[in-house]
Each structure stands twice: as C-alpha cells, then as structure tokens.
Amino acid sequence: MSKLFTHLFTPYQVKRTEFRNRIFSTGHDTYLPQNYLPSEALTAYHVARAKGGAGLIIVQVVGVHESARYTTDLLMGTEDACIKPFAKMIEAIHREGTKVFVQLFHPGRELLGRPEGVAQAAYAPSFSPSERFRTAPRPMSLAMVEEIITGYGEVGRRMAEAGADGVEIVGSHGYLPAQFLNPRVNRRDDRFGGGLENRIRFIGEAAQAVRKKVPADFIVGLRLSGDELDADGLQEDETLAACRLLKDDLDYFNVIAGTSASQGGAIHIVPPMLIENAYVAPYARKLKQAIGKPVFVAGRINQPHEAEKVIAEGAADMCGMTRAMICDPQMANKAKAGATDDIRACIACNQACIGHFQLGLSISCIQHPETGRELDYGVKPKAARAKRVMVVGGGPAGLKAAAVAAERGHQVTLYEKDTQLGGQARLAQLLPARAEFGGIITNLTREAERSGVRIVKGKTVTPDFVASEAPDAVILASGSLPQRPPAEIGDDAHVIHAVDVLKGEKTGSRVVIYDWLADWIGLGVAEKLASEGVDVRLAVNGLSAGMAIQNYTRDAHLARLHRLGVKIIPLMRLYGADATTAYFLHTAAQEPVVLEEVDTIVLACPNAPEDSLTRTAEAFEHYLIGDCLAARTAEEAVYEGLKAGMAV
C-alpha cells in the first residue's frame, strides 16, 4: 500500500460492518435502471467501481411511496417483487469486497417527472411553491405523512432482505425530510410542524420505522445538506441543531451542501469546476464535533490527496468521491498502489454525468466514455491482427483513438502539427474558472503513453506523407477551423474570433460578443473581458447564455457575469457590422436590433471541419472522428475516438 494515503486506506467500521477503506460512491442518478428496478447495465456500472477498489457504494435513490416518482429513472422499492433484482445487484457488488447501502427517497415538492405524460401533483409538508421546478405542492394530510413513514420502513426491510448493509434516508438538497426541517417550508400546525422538536419528528419516525423492520446490526444513516446555501433554505445552525436532536436515531450522517429548490442552491448538487475542492469538509468537521457520530462527506473531493487530508485532519470518517470514480473506476486501486500519475482525474465539467441524466440519457464521462457503457466497452478485446495505424491530430479525439487502438495491440503513431497536444482543449483551459479542463489533455496523453502510442509532435501530415507511410488504417482527428457567419461585415469593423481573444489579441473597450453557440465559450470570453475592465454585451442566439451546457455549470457562470455587470441580450442573430455598430435580428420578433458604440465584435460561432485529408484517407481503411467529422464538443470527440479505436 502507498505510504501517501495511510489514513484513506485504513479500514473503518460502523456497527459490525467494516469498509476496506474510506472511499465511497455517493448515491447518484444514472438513468441505467429499467422499469424502476436494477438492470444489468446498472449492476455492471457499480461492479466496475467495486472492482476498482471502492470501500462503499451507496446505490441511487429508491422511492418509498408512489408519490416519490420524481423521474422515470429512479428505482422503486414499494413492492416485494423488487427484492430479487436488488439482491442480484448487491451480491455482485459484494463479491468484489465492497459494502452496499441503498438510498431511501421522497422528493416532496422537488418533482419534475411526467410519468404519464403530464405534470404530476407534488406533495409537501405545506403549501410552499418551489421556484426551480415551478411546483405548487399540495399539503400532505396527516394520514399521507404516516403512510410515507411506513413506506420508509417497508422499503428498508426489502433492502435488508436483498442483502444491503444499510440504508440512507435522503434529506439532502431540499428533499422531503429537509422540507419538514425547514420552518420556511414547513408551516404545519400538527405534531410534524412548529418547533424544532416537531419538525425533526418526520426523520426520527422514518428512521424508527426502518429499525423496527431490519436486523439490529443493519445501518441506518441520513444524508443532509450542512447548509442549503439559499436565503430560504436550511442554514448551517439549523442543520446542526436538528442533527444534535437526531443523533441517537441514526448510525451515521452524510453531509453535503445546497438545495434543489433554487438555481443558486442547485449548483451544489453536482458542483462545477469553479467551486473549491473539498469545500464541504468544514461543515462535516462542525457536525462531527457536534454529534460525536460517524460523519461522511462529499463535494468536489476529486483526488486521493484531498480525501487523505480530510480524513487525516478528522473532518470526516468517509469521503465521497463519486465523479472521481465515474471518470476513473480504478481510482482507488491506483491510489492504493501509489500510481497517482495514472489516475484519470475528474475535471468537473458535468457534461456527461449529471448532464446526461438531465437529458434523459444514461450516465457517462467525457474523458471515459466507457462509463455507463460497461456492457459494451468494459472489455477491449485484442485485435485479430496487429495493424499499422496512423492517427492524424493530437486533440481529445485522436488521443483516445490512439490509446484504445494501441491497447488492443495495434502499432499506433499519432501525428500532431503543433508542438503541443490537446487541440482546442488547450484554449478552453485559458478561460476563467476553466483551468481544470486542461486535465483532459493530461489524462488522455497519459492513456496514450501507457498504451504504447508513438507520438510525433510538430509534424504536418500531407497526402504525400500518408502515401509514403502506407499505413493499414488512417484515423483523421484533425479538428476544425473558425468560420465567420453569413453576415454583411464592413472592412472597417473590428471582428475577431473567440480563439483570438484567448491567444492574446486585444479588443476595444466596448465589446459585443456574438454567441451563436450559447455554450461555455461565450460565457467565458465575456467574463474574461469584463474582469479586465471591458464593457461587454453578450448577444446570444438563443434563450439564454449557456443554454447548450449543463445547467449547474451555466448558472454558476451566469452568476459571475451578473456580478461583473455583463448585459445579456437573448434571441440575437448577427446580420451586419460596421466600424461602430452591430446589427442584429431578434429571432422571435423578426425585427432589427441595433447595438451602437461598438469597438470590437467577438464571434463565438460554429467551426467547420478541417478534413482536407479525407480523399487521401479514402484509399485506406479510414475513420473521421471528432470535429474533423463535424464540429461538436469534447464528449463526442472522445467517444468517437473510443469507437474508432475499437473498430480498427
């Protein structure tokens, strides 16, 4: 075992259950269940992380009542027929030496699903509308509250019979248990409302209902936000006071931050890269000192050295490293072996993990598209015949294709025209609060090197060079090039591309950004220029800046632009420019909008494929991937790299 992580890899025990280390996967949505039950894909997903060395896996939320169906993705535990499918999954995880908890869940008013094609009625302790999902909940009757509490007990029993080591009542992020705790949401006048002793009663009785149905050594815990980080959410002192009164009802407390109820609070459900690493640890420390019970913590703990510090300093007993293991299922094993340079570090982009869930897609990772696709790509078979493979382009697509092809036994040479690898990711990391995005270059380069790829930098590949090398297969990953939109732009207009700004080209003091992409580029360039004192107007060809990216990432950046005074103008299409004026069309009203006193227009517009070698490649087995095929994002580039590497 590595001497770097002596605390992280010390076993830990709750009741009679011992975890082999302090690393756990928090409960998180995956869109891998089928018919509200565990599937082969969900089992394979969790088994991959168990094989990777996780000490504990907490399986995603399981509904305790019919009114808990907040999406079509969650698991349901309301019928005894669920026991066998859960048992099959839990047994598979246990075989790898990992313990298993299951989350017990009711969202209350935080409801967004349409299981019958229409908005379902939401229920909450009181009539307290939720602004994020626009729900106006019906107050729960006393009989319904008691029925849901009974549901916690019955689902806890089923999970125990399925072989789980424990269950976790989900009160984090403003879900139903937290709604009972919050005096600004819970205005009941019965035994579940009023003073704190009454407001904690729902959680206490839910825990007791479970205890009555499970063996004595079965673990019952609670996940709660230490601070919901919203003006109307639970505050830190309220959470601490509640946990002090609840400590004898529960075996451990799992602390996180934020709430689903507001845009600002929701970013902490899966915090983006601009949030500090391990930022919830101070809450965990205060809670541990207050209750003297086992405390788990999560929240941007991406690297083993961060988790080691949390455990060594006594802030918590277990560290949730969920996205770290989404990105690298073998993270724990690599850390234990001291192979830290081989860990594929999460960059907190949120694009294919929570981003996929919010699109109704199964979980994955832009750096490791094998995640969520374990049944298809969990094993990479050796090639029947080793081929000489030429990869043109050292961006994310080319690096992934080269790594996978070499891992399968091919002789792979990657050519990059620049002296550095990374393609457009090298520029993306220069934007404010996006430095971690550069990790995709480090991680994919390391994959390629470990697989034995020969990397040649500073080499422009020409048709003659391809012919002289005569490879068995060619993978074109040559990227894309900036293009101007079809607008009437005068010679006296100062118009540049977003990439020019990142390369250091100066703008005037009054800038309009034409943000056709509505992604992180327009947001980032706006923040960069505004923070340098430039007057910035962000003209977006869409309903909102950042509408094309995951909403927690978008909303965090929108907050920063608001503080900087950036004016955002939606529904704009550029159709002309001169020395001091930009001319737009409002795409909904189909009416002109004129922006005056403009020194520079910055374009964040679609690129065109750089596919000049296509005809040459057609003489060989060939593949076009990433932006060379069609300009999109790093996710598509890496996934297509995986597929090309598997196909060659």
Side-chain angles (χ1 to χ4, degrees):
M1 183 178 73
S2 170
K3 296 180 180 179
L4 296 172
F5 309 114
T6 55
H7 295 85
L8 188 59
F9 288 97
T10 300
Y12 185 68
Q13 187 167 322
V14 178
K15 286 189 166 178
R16 295 183 180 180
T17 298
E18 183 176 277
F19 314 109
R20 59 184 169 187
N21 57 49
R22 309 301 185 95
I23 297 169
F24 75 99
S25 174
T26 63
H28 57 285
D29 287 305
T30 62
Y31 249 103
L32 292 174
Q34 289 182 345
N35 301 318
Y36 300 100
L37 293 170
S39 64
E40 288 187 24
L42 181 62
T43 299
Y45 170 80
H46 285 309
V47 166
R49 279 121 199 103
K51 285 183 176 179
L56 166 68
I57 286 174
I58 303 181
V59 175
Q60 68 188 74
V61 295
V62 177
V64 299
H65 188 266
E66 284 304 305
S67 58
R69 295 179 187 265
Y70 83 128
T71 72
T72 56
D73 167 66
L74 87 164
L75 298 162
M76 290 297 291
T78 50
E79 302 288 340
D80 282 355
C82 78
I83 296 173
K84 187 174 181 180
F86 271 97
K88 184 177 179 181
M89 176 180 67
I90 291 167
E91 182 183 3
I93 298 170
H94 276 162
R95 282 199 296 267
E96 305 301 331
T98 300
K99 304 303 181 184
V100 183
F101 293 172
V102 179
Q103 290 189 318
L104 306 184
F105 181 72
H106 196 297
R109 66 179 185 170
E110 298 305 311
L111 200 67
L112 73 159
R114 292 174 176 262
E116 297 176 350
V118 297
Q120 61 197 107
Y123 294 87
S126 305
F127 179 75
S128 301
S130 176
E131 67 183 31
R132 181 161 168 251
F133 293 137
R134 304 292 172 186
T135 56
R138 179 176 180 81
M140 291 179 174
S141 66
L142 182 60
M144 185 178 190
V145 174
E146 292 173 341
E147 186 177 299
I148 290 172
I149 288 172
T150 298
Y152 279 98
E154 289 300 317
V155 179
R157 170 185 64 80
R158 294 181 183 110
M159 296 304 105
E161 290 182 17
D165 301 290
V167 292
E168 180 176 273
I169 296 170
V170 181
S172 58
H173 301 130
Y175 297 123
L176 183 60
Q179 292 163 34
F180 274 95
L181 285 181
N182 190 337
R184 291 161 294 284
V185 177
N186 179 358
R187 296 187 295 277
R188 300 178 72 92
D189 57 8
D190 59 14
R191 65 191 181 94
F192 291 100
L196 179 59
E197 291 80 3
N198 279 359
R199 285 185 281 113
I200 67 166
R201 193 183 305 277
F202 179 85
I203 296 175
E205 291 194 6
Q208 292 161 17
V210 175
R211 294 227 186 266
K212 291 176 183 177
K213 298 285 186 176
V214 299
D217 58 355
F218 193 75
I219 296 169
V220 182
L222 172 68
R223 194 180 201 207
L224 205 60
S225 293
D227 191 322
E228 290 188 350
L229 300 173
D230 180 85
D232 291 330
L234 280 172
Q235 308 299 307
E236 182 181 32
D237 58 340
E238 293 173 321
T239 300
L240 286 172
C243 291
R244 286 190 184 99
L245 295 179
L246 287 165
K247 65 179 183 179
D248 292 334
D249 292 316
L250 298 148
D251 299 313
Y252 76 92
F253 291 77
N254 184 0
V255 65
I256 192 64
T259 175
S260 177
S262 70
Q263 303 301 126
I267 70 170
H268 300 281
I269 297 175
V270 188
M273 68 179 74
L274 54 77
I275 302 294
E276 182 182 358
N277 293 94
Y279 73 110
V280 185
Y283 298 116
R285 181 190 298 277
K286 290 179 183 178
L287 180 60
K288 188 168 176 59
Q289 292 172 345
I291 63 174
K293 299 290 283 281
V295 170
F296 299 5
V297 70
R300 284 274 280 148
I301 304 175
N302 288 349
Q303 293 274 27
H305 68 270
E306 296 162 357
E308 173 71 15
K309 186 172 186 287
V310 170
I311 302 298
E313 294 181 351
D317 302 296
M318 297 280 289
C319 282
M321 303 184 72
T322 307
R323 280 182 291 176
M325 290 185 284
I326 292 173
C327 185
D328 192 339
Q330 286 287 324
M331 183 275 299
N333 284 344
K334 291 175 183 178
K336 185 176 181 180
T340 53
D341 289 344
D342 292 341
I343 293 173
R344 185 185 306 103
C346 169
I347 57 175
C349 67
N350 281 359
Q351 187 169 336
C353 46
I354 185 64
H356 268 208
F357 167 74
Q358 292 172 335
L359 293 172
L361 304 172
S362 58
I363 194 168
S364 194
C365 175
I366 73 167
Q367 298 190 79
H368 190 63
E370 293 92 333
T371 284
R373 302 180 176 100
E374 284 81 6
L375 295 178
D376 295 321
Y377 298 112
V379 176
K380 298 183 177 67
K382 290 297 182 182
R385 177 176 69 88
K387 299 177 182 178
R388 293 176 58 249
V389 178
M390 172 184 286
V391 178
V392 182
L399 286 167
K400 183 66 175 182
V404 173
E407 183 181 346
R408 294 184 55 236
H410 295 302
Q411 181 184 335
V412 182
T413 303
L414 181 148
Y415 296 94
E416 167 55 47
K417 66 179 180 179
D418 292 331
T419 57
Q420 291 179 286
L421 299 171
Q424 292 187 61
R426 294 203 334 258
L427 296 171
Q429 68 183 331
L430 300 178
L431 289 168
R434 297 287 293 185
E436 277 186 73
F437 198 83
I440 194 172
I441 306 170
T442 303
N443 295 333
L444 290 172
T445 300
R446 183 62 176 161
E447 276 190 53
E449 291 171 344
R450 288 180 63 204
S451 298
V453 176
R454 175 175 171 251
I455 297 175
V456 180
K457 292 179 279 189
K459 173 64 179 177
T460 299
V461 175
T462 64
D464 287 344
F465 181 75
V466 177
S468 68
E469 290 293 301
D472 297 311
V474 178
I475 299 175
L476 294 184
S478 43
S480 60
L481 299 170
Q483 303 291 308
R484 284 194 174 192
E488 297 181 12
I489 298 175
D491 293 338
D492 55 351
H494 185 212
V495 179
I496 62 176
H497 294 282
V499 295
D500 300 321
V501 176
L502 298 180
K503 290 177 179 178
E505 185 165 341
K506 296 298 182 183
T507 69
S509 61
R510 299 168 300 183
V511 169
V512 169
I513 299 172
Y514 177 45
D515 185 10
W516 189 98
L517 298 169
D519 63 7
W520 49 267
I521 298 174
L523 292 169
V525 172
E527 181 176 346
K528 173 179 168 60
L529 293 175
S531 64
E532 294 170 354
V534 175
D535 178 77
V536 178
R537 285 170 282 181
L538 184 58
V540 185
N541 192 316
L543 294 172
S544 167
M547 65 178 290
I549 60 176
Q550 194 274 329
N551 61 298
Y552 303 154
T553 301
R554 175 200 68 206
D555 295 346
H557 281 281
L558 287 175
R560 292 161 74 95
L561 294 192
H562 172 76
R563 297 183 188 111
L564 287 167
V566 173
K567 183 179 181 181
I568 300 174
I569 312 169
L571 300 171
M572 293 289 101
R573 181 193 301 155
L574 181 68
Y575 70 87
D578 57 32
T580 61
T581 309
Y583 303 93
F584 290 89
L585 182 75
H586 190 286
T587 57
Q590 291 292 295
E591 294 178 353
V593 176
V594 179
L595 301 184
E596 298 179 325
E597 298 182 336
V598 179
D599 298 319
T600 304
I601 296 174
V602 177
L603 302 174
C605 295
N607 284 5
E610 204 302 87
D611 57 356
S612 57
L613 287 174
T614 302
R615 182 168 297 179
T616 301
E618 287 174 349
F620 305 88
E621 177 187 349
H622 68 284
Y623 306 87
L624 274 66
I625 61 175
D627 279 11
C628 176
L629 176 63
R632 289 153 296 157
T633 74
E635 178 182 2
E636 289 79 21
V638 178
Y639 179 52
E640 288 170 2
L642 167 64
K643 292 204 298 181
M646 292 288 284
V648 70

